[in-house]
Amino acid sequence: MYIILIHYRKPLAEVDQQKAAHGAYLDRAYAEGTMIVSGRRTDQKGGVLLANLASRAEVDQLIAKDPYNTSGVAEYEVIDFHPSKYAQDFGPFLHVPPQADDIRPADESAGDVAGAAR
């Protein structure tokens, strides 16, 4: 799983010229099941994507074709991580192979195992 931080390099007016194309591009990623959540930072300095991709190469391909990247209005920071704790309702979004040492909800009675981490 990857957190992709988008940092705007150009004024917001230039970024907004690419916003519709960027949104349409992300819609395709949602349709493919690789995008989990996305949005603009509240300080309007960039955006945040949460993607469920199999490899860094796939992340690089996603970034390479993003209109924010191709137009030069943004740069990207990628954080790769393996979720070991999460709220039970988040489980369907995960497509990572289980690890022996993972702490995951076992059943409906497990509740919110990530609550203690918040």
Side-chain angles (χ1 to χ4, degrees):
M1 182 162 291
Y2 296 87
I3 298 172
I4 304 166
L5 303 176
I6 299 173
H7 304 284
Y8 298 151
R9 298 176 43 188
K10 302 287 183 174
L12 199 53
E14 289 184 49
V15 173
D16 285 345
Q17 291 175 358
Q18 301 298 323
K19 188 175 180 181
H22 170 73
Y25 182 70
L26 292 181
D27 287 345
R28 289 190 293 278
Y30 278 107
E32 293 167 0
T34 59
M35 191 63 54
I36 296 170
V37 67
S38 60
R40 185 174 273 182
R41 291 174 38 177
T42 57
D43 62 9
Q44 304 216 2
K45 293 181 179 181
V48 179
L49 309 174
L50 182 59
N52 197 14
L53 296 164
S55 69
R56 176 58 193 254
E58 288 181 353
V59 173
D60 291 341
Q61 289 174 356
L62 177 79
I63 291 170
K65 297 176 184 175
D66 185 345
Y68 280 178
N69 183 50
T70 59
S71 67
V73 300
E75 60 188 12
Y76 301 77
E77 176 183 352
V78 178
I79 302 167
D80 180 4
F81 77 104
H82 178 79
S84 58
K85 290 186 179 186
Y86 53 86
Q88 183 173 340
D89 292 341
F90 191 73
F93 295 103
L94 302 176
H95 302 288
V96 294
Q99 303 293 317
D101 62 348
D102 280 353
I103 300 171
R104 295 173 177 248
D107 57 41
E108 292 291 325
S109 64
D112 180 358
V113 298
R118 286 189 211 132

